[in-house]
Amino acid sequence: MAGLKTRLGLLQKERGLPPAAPASAPATHAAPASSSVKRLADRLRDLRAPSAAPPRAARAVPSAEEMAERLGGVAIAPGLVQVERRVPLDGRHGKQPLAALRDAVDLPDAPTAAPHGWLFLDTETSGLSGGTGTVAFLLGLARVEEQELVVRQFMLTAFAGEPALFEAAKSWFDEAEAFVSFNGKAFDLPLLATRARLNGRAVALDKPHLDLLHATRRAFASRWDDCRLATAERRLIRFEREHDLPGALVPEVWFAFVQRGEIARIPAVLEHNHWDLVSLAALLPILHAVHQAPGAWESDILAVARSFLRSGDGLRAYRLLAEHEAMLTPDGLRELAWLYRRRGDWQQACALWSRLAAEGCVESIERLAKYHEHVTGDFVAALEYANRLGDAHEARRARLLRRLRD
Amino acid sequence: MSRPAEKISTPDDPVARLAERLSSKYRSRITGELVVPPRNGRYADLPADLDRRLQQALAARGIQRLYSHQAEAWRLAREGRHFVVVTPTASGKTLCYNLPVLQSAMQAQAKALYLFPTKALSQDQVAEILELNQAGDLGVKAFTFDGDTPGDARKAVRTRGDIVVSNPDMLHQGILPHHTKWAQFFENLRYVVIDEMHTYRGVFGSHVANVIRRLRRVCRFYGAEPLFIFASATIANPAELAGALLEEEVTAITESGAPAGEKRLLLWNPPVINPDLGIRASARSQTTRIARAAVKTRLKTILFAQSRLMVEVLTKYLKDVFDRDPRKPARVFAYRGGYLPTERRATEQKLRKGDIDCVIATSALELGVDIGALDVCVLNGYPGTIAATWQRLGRAGRRNRTALGVLVASSAPLDQYIVRNPEFFLGASPEHARIDPDQLLILLDHVRCAAFELPFNAGEKFGRENLLELLEYLAEQGIIHREGERWHWIADSYPANSVSLRSVAEGNFVVVDITDGRQDIIAEVDFSSAPMTIYEGAIYMVQANPYQVEKLDWEGRKAFVRRTRADYYTDAIDYTKLKILDDFARDSAPGAECARGEVHVVRRIAGYKKIRYYTHENVGYGNINLPDQEMHTTAVWWQIEPEVLERAFPSRQQALDGFLGAAYALHHVAALRTMSEPHDLGRAVGDGDARWFATVDASGRGQIRGDDGKVITVDSQGRFRPAVFLYDNYPGGVGLSAPLYEQRHDVVQAAQTLVDACDCRFGCPSCVGPILASDEERGYSPKAAALRVLELFHGRAQD
């Protein structure tokens, strides 16, 4: 019922008469367009609730040139401002040295690319639905060039600047070998593809894409309350922002700018996006380190190892689990035992299985039974283990008894 | 096309034999008979340019030549002309569109979009295409795309589907607002097929017309101009409706070339059992009698009822006769909205296999889902329109055998009119389907959605209102932003989610069975039916199994029910109050006035009656506490000056009864004359100043209630100025009031004729409404009172 009520609302009894007109306005020359507008608006108001939106101020929206000056950037086309900042790689972001950006990265879901081939990206948008009505009014890109992390932001000061945005960003997109983002696979890239198509621009978006949200979730979802970029920034990079504009407010700030020319908080939007990009970049070497030494980062060792298994790197998975044996959960130990067995290292496998069996792990007991039956031929030991198993294993026990008799 | 029945001796045809038996045994109840002679097929050769693989596929399915209408469809498609096919069920309608579409898909990589009103029909259609595909190894990929399509499958449908089968709701909410993801599909879109076109009428049709506007707008963006092919059941104006939906000229193919067996139709009026009160035996009693006779002779039978409640009642009675033994498979099944989709699919399948002897359904089974061939169709009550009557009757019929249809009239005025004037029905053309795509609220909703999809450019056209003004209105609301000559979407909302294509859909209710600690969902109820069917205390039936509603969670949209052994069913009572807000036009006659304008309507469900099965006694009453349903709409009303009224009637009570009776007659006549669906118009009697509204109490006597719903005496009112209201039953109106007002004189006159010519003495459900107290008890005749009121409305000088 609420939907109907808001749609119809209270009736405003407006009779469609114009307000007291100045004496000189001749009735016969009433502009038909304006009187018919009032009629239509009346009809609509009679059927719907009056708008709760604030009255529109008459301020004009600043031009790209004006905004460029305010933001320390360049107006590269009507409606489009470009702002560039260079962050030296010999400094730190929070506790993370940025020099690590020069190193190769070895993540299970990363396409192997030299560091200078990565393009970091993050957008600010007018909404979260991702449909054709959502606009990415700020496109933030960053990449490593020699000694610096170059951050380039493209901001629309008018919708008309959108085609130019794609023209201006084209070179960086073309030159990239792979994209890095945080939730960009599901959101930012599809949105950019949509906007490009709507503006009739072809952009090279079909490239390998590393979405750090996945790696972050994998390693930390079981330990953190949430896996947002802000959380990773705080806990891994140890970077604290000051006076940051909350992401949820960004769309409103943009609407206020476009509709009413309110510019006060626009610099804060760019700042917010700038930090998002730098943190995204800094996160990359950190996640690499997490995957090298998950224990040191208090991450989910088993999850990390499994990601290597899934990508086909069984050796890596094994090494990781073996190194961190002391920190493994029973699940982790079982996985490690299995990997030992795959490598043919029965001694280590059995050692683990025995440990687990002592704690009552049914799967391990079964493996020991199998091992003794088929590998060592020690049927007595096999039966000892088999006897600790439930009814489902009756066949095995019967078979062992037979073999013992013969 | 039809002729009155002759005695034809058909020894081997069991249906014909049944028809003969019924005709002779119940001669006095049959007011009209009609025979539609069998029709020979008219054929055409397969088109010369038909792809050889398609030819093979058809041959594999036993098709060596086309029906004339299928060949005509092929020709029009090749010529690039939009068309609508209007032929009966089982006439091979789908080949009319499948052939051109498959041809283009195979030869030109062209894509097609199929729209069906329900998911069941969509799935049927894909199955059909897949069969053809396999038969000829065509390599064409067809997929359904709707709310049930899993996330990972969606991309495959978008990029690899040649034919995408969906529904208007999904197109509106899930496809158009994400059209860039479908870029490849739209660029190659050559055909749009819209089946069951006749369902796109009224409010729903007005919404769909706008979705089509948005679809074509998006197609234009990708440089596509698809050809539209419609398929429809019989209505009076198929080309006109298609043209209104598409805003282009559409050619109609109306002659079917498919052969058809003979059809016999009987018009059946239940016998009078109380002449004084004009009471007839119930339609239900007749329907069950006919159904029993048909099922006993092993004929496959379908019954149509007007309400879900009646479906359950009929099912119960027939199951009592035929499904006594729980060890044997059931022969009788019910089918209606509210049953879970899986159940309905299962019933459809059983019907196709011939495992069901008798199915009882609401209009839910009127649409084209394939349910195999049936022999006998009985309509329990007039469906409300000629078109719907023929659609339902069309469910019975085989190629080489007679089919029998029986229309059993209830005591409702329209039913009685139809059954007593058989020439009217038999000679009548089906109704016109009307839509109003420029209804202001509807249009605005879709302009909003369209603005989300693509920015509007100055000079664009969308609908027939001034688009610029609509855009300015939306800009004022802060939703779109004008920049130069373009209007861009600038909100963080997703407008399609708040627009429902059907009338007020505020979220369905689910019915949860909590018997024995369960938590099973057994049915769904839509928002507008909920207050009348699942209030606390209501008996709710599923496949004739009764459950009682223990608790209704209005906000959570859940009704908790428990199996019950109650021997009664429940029927809710509702009141409608109106307040006049504004009048646009007025017409005075001596002592009376008719006007049209805006009104505010409040509908309250007050309580319910408990009615025992079989005896139909009223065995109790219960209260209902549910929120009122309000809306603001347009109406026509009639009033009489208080002084004139006082002179014409000895008491206010009589005047009130007269108004109630007049309202009843006017309502039914008005629906007939505006050719609208009966529930599109609502009626009420109340005070023009909204100080009171009128209802009829248990003894048939009129009474008035104040704002709080409490009964007040008529004489306690100062000025007594009752009014009869007929209002558009949709917020903002659906354009019925204006034409009704134009015809006001004819409508009043026709109502007078209806009442005057009625056979009853003092009043009956066929003219002024049911009365239960006799004339002697009351001292006057409600019928005469109604006539007096109508005369005064007409403005004739008093005697």
Side-chain angles (χ1 to χ4, degrees):
Chain A
M1 227 46 233
L4 242 192
K5 283 216 169 97
T6 46
R7 281 172 65 185
L8 297 175
L10 306 165
L11 175 74
Q12 305 263 312
K13 206 169 166 75
E14 293 183 339
R15 304 297 307 230
L17 299 168
S24 57
T28 47
H29 296 300
S34 56
S35 65
S36 72
V37 168
K38 194 159 207 292
R39 255 189 286 123
L40 186 93
D42 286 349
R43 286 159 67 195
L44 283 168
R45 262 180 226 114
D46 283 352
L47 295 172
R48 323 180 119 259
S51 144
R56 306 278 146 235
R59 226 186 314 175
V61 182
S63 67
E65 280 80 15
E66 284 177 58
M67 286 313 291
E69 237 192 83
R70 280 191 159 259
L71 298 169
V74 178
I76 48 181
L80 184 65
V81 172
Q82 179 181 308
V83 177
E84 192 172 285
R85 277 162 75 167
R86 291 169 172 263
V87 183
L89 288 184
D90 59 5
R92 283 172 183 262
H93 180 56
K95 293 253 176 356
Q96 176 62 31
L98 288 173
L101 279 172
R102 282 205 208 87
D103 304 333
V105 155
D106 187 7
L107 283 169
D109 44 354
T112 344
H116 69 257
W118 297 114
L119 181 62
F120 300 95
L121 70 86
D122 185 56
T123 60
E124 300 301 332
T125 68
S126 64
L128 295 173
S129 75
T132 49
T134 308
V135 57
F137 63 86
L138 175 57
L139 170 62
L141 300 174
R143 69 181 188 184
V144 170
E145 279 179 16
E146 310 285 328
Q147 314 290 342
E148 297 164 321
L149 175 70
V150 184
V151 179
R152 234 183 227 185
Q153 294 172 304
F154 301 93
M155 194 186 88
L156 294 180
T157 59
F159 285 94
E162 222 182 348
L165 183 150
F166 286 100
E167 295 292 340
K170 188 174 188 325
S171 59
W172 274 31
F173 276 114
D174 285 346
E175 290 160 16
E177 286 177 33
F179 301 132
V180 185
S181 73
F182 204 87
N183 194 29
K185 249 190 182 154
F187 185 68
D188 304 65
L189 252 298
L191 179 60
L192 284 172
T194 295
R195 297 311 304 178
R197 189 66 185 78
L198 285 172
N199 286 283
R201 290 291 180 274
V203 190
L205 294 177
D206 207 6
K207 297 201 171 165
H209 186 146
L210 176 59
D211 189 329
L212 295 184
L213 171 62
H214 302 163
T216 309
R217 265 208 197 124
R218 179 192 311 147
F220 296 104
S222 56
R223 280 146 172 73
W224 293 354
D225 287 335
D226 68 70
C227 291
R228 295 179 302 125
L229 179 59
T231 309
E233 187 181 85
R234 219 177 358 100
R235 297 180 78 140
L236 296 175
I237 305 174
R238 313 293 186 121
F239 178 67
E240 300 285 344
R241 301 194 192 190
E242 282 176 25
H243 310 303
D244 186 41
L245 178 70
L249 289 183
V250 166
E252 295 176 26
V253 171
W254 158 248
F255 298 151
F257 168 71
V258 170
Q259 293 177 308
R260 298 191 291 284
E262 289 174 20
I263 52 183
R265 295 201 286 179
I266 292 290
V269 173
L270 274 91
E271 187 79 351
H272 174 87
N273 178 255
H274 174 85
W275 290 130
D276 278 349
L277 283 162
V278 179
S279 288
L280 177 66
L283 195 55
L284 183 57
I286 292 179
L287 286 172
H288 166 84
V290 166
H291 281 67
Q292 302 300 312
W297 290 85
E298 295 179 6
S299 70
D300 191 331
I301 301 168
L302 179 57
V304 170
R306 280 190 172 145
S307 69
F308 281 114
L309 261 181
R310 272 196 304 272
S311 71
D313 194 346
L315 182 61
R316 191 70 181 282
Y318 153 73
R319 281 209 188 112
L320 218 50
L321 286 173
E323 265 171 48
H324 293 89
E325 191 185 311
M327 297 170 74
L328 293 179
T329 59
D331 271 338
L333 290 171
R334 271 188 282 273
E335 190 79 57
L336 178 56
W338 177 253
L339 290 173
Y340 274 132
R341 181 232 182 276
R342 262 189 13 181
R343 294 164 56 86
D345 195 341
W346 290 107
Q347 196 184 17
Q348 293 281 28
C350 284
L352 284 177
W353 284 331
S354 301
R355 254 173 76 188
L356 290 162
E359 282 157 29
C361 169
V362 173
E363 190 190 309
S364 304
I365 296 172
E366 192 183 350
R367 293 213 187 281
L368 285 167
K370 279 184 180 161
Y371 169 67
H372 283 296
E373 179 176 351
H374 302 294
V375 180
T376 64
D378 184 351
F379 299 139
V380 174
L383 189 57
E384 239 178 74
Y385 285 115
N387 282 333
R388 288 160 69 180
L389 294 170
D391 295 332
H393 302 267
E394 200 42 55
R396 182 181 301 280
R397 283 193 284 273
R399 191 175 59 241
L400 285 167
L401 281 169
R402 269 202 318 275
R403 295 180 99 163
L404 274 175
R405 273 202 312 267
D406 308 333
Chain B
M1 178 186 99
S2 55
R3 57 184 156 80
E6 300 159 7
K7 244 197 159 5
I8 303 159
S9 61
T10 41
D12 291 328
D13 192 328
V15 180
R17 278 208 305 279
L18 174 68
E20 300 286 313
R21 259 205 340 269
L22 290 172
S23 298
S24 53
K25 187 168 177 192
Y26 300 104
R27 181 129 300 274
S28 56
R29 303 185 193 182
I30 294 176
T31 62
E33 289 182 51
L34 168 67
V35 176
V36 179
R39 192 178 54 223
N40 286 324
R42 283 199 332 271
Y43 302 92
D45 289 330
L46 292 179
D49 50 349
L50 187 66
D51 191 294
R52 238 180 322 111
R53 292 165 286 175
L54 258 182
Q55 273 187 42
Q56 276 174 313
L58 291 177
R61 307 201 59 212
I63 300 173
Q64 309 286 356
R65 48 188 180 156
L66 296 181
Y67 294 131
S68 53
H69 59 281
Q70 294 167 334
E72 173 80 359
W74 176 270
R75 187 180 65 77
L76 287 170
R78 300 309 260 171
E79 284 175 23
R81 289 166 54 190
H82 308 294
F83 63 90
V84 53
V85 184
V86 192
T87 54
T89 18
S91 62
K93 220 186 298 196
T94 52
L95 268 186
C96 290
Y97 49 78
N98 275 343
L99 282 185
V101 164
L102 288 168
Q103 176 99 348
S104 288
M106 292 188 306
Q107 296 193 340
Q109 281 73 52
K111 313 246 181 193
L113 174 67
Y114 284 20
L115 294 175
F116 290 89
T118 67
K119 286 187 207 167
L121 288 170
S122 300
Q123 280 157 9
D124 258 8
Q125 186 51 227
V126 170
E128 168 91 12
I129 297 173
L130 287 178
E131 275 180 37
L132 266 177
N133 213 13
Q134 275 175 347
D137 200 19
L138 307 176
V140 173
K141 290 185 277 306
F143 301 112
T144 52
F145 190 89
D146 54 44
D148 292 343
T149 310
D152 43 5
R154 290 186 180 204
K155 183 160 185 201
V157 176
R158 285 196 293 257
T159 51
R160 289 192 282 127
D162 296 310
I163 302 177
V164 172
V165 183
S166 186
N167 56 71
D169 309 79
M170 191 63 181
L171 179 63
H172 152 70
Q173 256 186 358
I175 299 179
L176 290 174
H178 289 274
H179 62 82
T180 51
K181 297 196 170 100
W182 295 80
Q184 215 182 343
F185 179 78
F186 283 117
E187 275 162 9
N188 295 294
L189 185 63
R190 184 81 73 81
Y191 290 103
V192 176
V193 172
I194 298 182
D195 204 341
E196 309 293 345
M197 180 194 75
H198 58 282
T199 59
Y200 302 126
R201 66 200 291 170
V203 168
F204 185 37
S206 307
H207 275 293
V208 172
N210 277 283
V211 175
I212 293 177
R213 280 172 176 160
R214 284 160 52 199
L215 170 62
R216 296 181 82 199
R217 185 167 178 255
V218 165
C219 284
R220 258 175 267 130
F221 178 78
Y222 293 100
E225 275 198 51
L227 186 87
F228 278 74
I229 303 178
F230 298 87
S232 172
T234 311
I235 47 175
N237 58 335
E240 195 192 323
L241 177 63
L245 284 166
L246 191 58
E247 295 177 305
E248 298 270 357
E249 197 182 304
V250 178
T251 311
I253 301 176
T254 52
E255 296 298 316
S256 169
E262 181 182 273
K263 280 192 169 50
R264 293 195 182 201
L265 172 62
L266 299 175
L267 298 183
W268 186 295
N269 205 359
V272 175
I273 51 183
N274 183 329
D276 282 343
L277 301 177
I279 293 183
R280 291 183 176 265
S282 68
R284 182 200 44 72
S285 63
Q286 310 297 296
T287 303
T288 43
R289 183 178 291 231
I290 299 167
R292 281 206 308 271
V295 176
K296 281 205 175 108
T297 15
R298 301 253 138 219
L299 294 172
K300 300 273 185 260
T301 306
I302 179 167
L303 310 184
F304 279 102
Q306 291 301 87
S307 68
R308 297 177 184 185
L309 175 62
M310 192 45 69
V311 166
E312 297 295 346
V313 172
L314 283 167
T315 306
K316 178 178 168 40
Y317 291 147
L318 285 166
K319 271 186 175 297
D320 283 351
V321 174
F322 292 110
D323 288 342
R324 290 217 117 117
D325 188 349
R327 293 167 304 176
K328 298 216 182 104
R331 296 170 68 188
V332 177
F333 277 81
Y335 183 107
R336 60 172 181 80
Y339 285 174
L340 298 175
T342 41
E343 267 192 57
R344 291 167 65 168
R345 297 297 89 75
T347 305
E348 287 155 23
Q349 220 176 1
K350 286 203 187 80
L351 278 165
R352 276 196 293 270
K353 291 209 293 212
D355 292 342
I356 293 180
D357 288 341
C358 181
V359 62
I360 299 124
T362 56
S363 58
L365 209 45
E366 193 176 286
L367 295 180
V369 176
D370 181 10
I371 53 171
L374 301 167
D375 300 305
V376 180
C377 172
V378 184
L379 305 185
N380 191 64
Y382 175 61
T385 62
I386 310 274
T389 305
W390 286 108
Q391 274 155 38
R392 293 183 194 191
L393 289 172
R395 280 311 203 171
R398 300 177 193 256
R399 220 157 272 195
N400 48 9
R401 195 147 96 158
T402 309
L404 173 65
V406 185
L407 170 57
V408 179
S410 73
S411 56
L414 269 189
D415 288 41
Q416 286 301 308
Y417 184 79
I418 297 273
V419 89
R420 287 191 248 174
N421 298 282
E423 331 74 46
F424 169 77
F425 174 77
L426 302 180
S429 60
E431 290 75 6
H432 290 66
R434 291 224 177 78
I435 57 172
D436 187 10
D438 295 314
Q439 206 264 13
L440 208 50
L441 283 181
I442 295 178
L443 179 62
L444 187 68
D445 275 345
H446 290 277
V447 169
R448 201 188 300 121
C449 291
F452 181 91
E453 284 150 17
L454 289 165
F456 271 102
N457 293 309
E460 245 192 275
K461 291 212 186 323
F462 193 99
R464 274 184 289 231
E465 290 280 349
N466 189 323
L467 180 60
L468 195 59
E469 293 168 24
L470 285 167
L471 294 173
E472 279 172 9
Y473 183 82
L474 288 174
E476 249 178 70
Q477 302 232 303
I479 296 175
I480 60 178
H481 170 74
R482 181 181 184 161
E483 191 180 280
E485 294 302 297
R486 278 190 148 192
W487 305 77
H488 299 265
W489 184 264
I490 193 152
D492 63 1
S493 52
Y494 189 84
N497 275 350
S498 56
V499 178
S500 161
L501 301 187
R502 329 244 163 189
S503 48
V504 191
E506 300 272 349
N508 288 350
F509 283 75
V510 286
V511 180
V512 183
D513 180 12
I514 55 173
T515 319
D516 301 328
R518 280 189 274 247
Q519 283 270 317
D520 295 337
I521 295 179
I522 54 174
E524 263 187 54
V525 177
D526 62 278
F527 185 86
S528 45
S529 316
M532 292 289 280
T533 53
I534 50 173
Y535 43 89
E536 281 169 16
I539 304 289
Y540 187 79
M541 298 205 260
V542 178
Q543 289 286 350
N545 291 316
Y547 298 82
Q548 185 156 46
V549 179
E550 270 187 23
K551 178 167 153 50
L552 176 62
D553 177 5
W554 185 265
E555 297 302 323
R557 303 285 190 261
K558 291 199 186 78
F560 297 97
V561 304
R562 200 183 290 277
R563 281 300 298 264
T564 177
R565 294 233 183 99
D567 63 349
Y568 61 87
Y569 61 93
T570 53
D571 200 6
I573 306 159
D574 62 325
Y575 306 135
T576 307
K577 316 191 279 189
L578 266 97
K579 181 180 161 94
I580 299 174
L581 298 170
D582 195 3
D583 59 44
F584 303 146
R586 257 184 224 206
D587 182 23
S588 303
E593 181 185 85
C594 177
R596 76 173 180 91
E598 276 177 27
V599 296
H600 183 237
V601 180
V602 176
R603 187 169 174 232
R604 173 177 302 170
I605 319 289
Y608 62 96
K609 298 182 284 206
K610 299 182 186 175
I611 302 174
R612 184 162 284 142
Y613 289 118
Y614 295 106
T615 62
H616 293 262
E617 316 159 42
N618 195 322
V619 293
Y621 177 86
N623 278 320
I624 298 180
N625 275 318
L626 285 175
D628 292 342
Q629 292 180 295
E630 300 181 34
M631 73 172 162
H632 175 158
T633 182
T634 54
V636 176
W637 59 89
W638 287 265
Q639 292 178 315
I640 296 175
E641 264 164 53
E643 303 77 36
V644 174
L645 196 60
E646 243 173 87
R647 281 202 298 274
F649 287 95
S651 76
R652 286 184 176 179
Q653 182 63 49
Q654 285 195 35
L656 182 66
D657 285 336
F659 265 80
L660 286 165
Y664 189 95
L666 281 168
H667 184 195
H668 291 95
V669 168
L672 198 60
R673 302 222 42 142
T674 57
M675 292 196 263
S676 53
E677 300 281 338
H679 58 259
D680 283 346
L681 262 184
R683 79 161 181 277
V685 172
D687 177 47
D689 299 322
R691 286 169 304 153
W692 54 264
F693 60 97
T695 58
V696 176
D697 72 12
S699 63
R701 172 176 267 245
Q703 52 180 213
I704 63 175
R705 291 165 188 266
D707 220 21
D708 54 3
K710 291 216 177 72
V711 181
I712 51 189
T713 51
V714 266
D715 297 309
S716 69
Q717 291 296 303
R719 252 173 127 238
F720 189 57
R721 201 194 164 97
V724 169
F725 294 91
L726 293 179
Y727 57 90
D728 286 26
N729 215 355
Y730 179 72
V734 256
L736 289 174
S737 295
L740 179 59
Y741 180 76
E742 298 302 307
Q743 298 180 62
R744 57 195 179 281
H745 297 299
D746 289 343
V747 169
V748 171
Q749 199 147 30
Q752 280 177 284
T753 312
L754 179 73
V755 178
D756 206 27
C758 190
D759 292 334
C760 68
R761 278 181 71 195
F762 310 120
C764 74
S766 308
C767 56
V768 297
I771 61 169
L772 294 176
S774 73
D775 188 282
E776 277 78 14
E777 274 180 49
R778 286 214 255 181
Y780 65 92
S781 153
K783 185 174 172 181
L787 267 174
R788 193 89 189 84
V789 168
L790 287 168
E791 273 170 22
L792 290 169
F793 284 166
H794 204 187
R796 279 209 298 259
Q798 300 166 61
D799 314 327

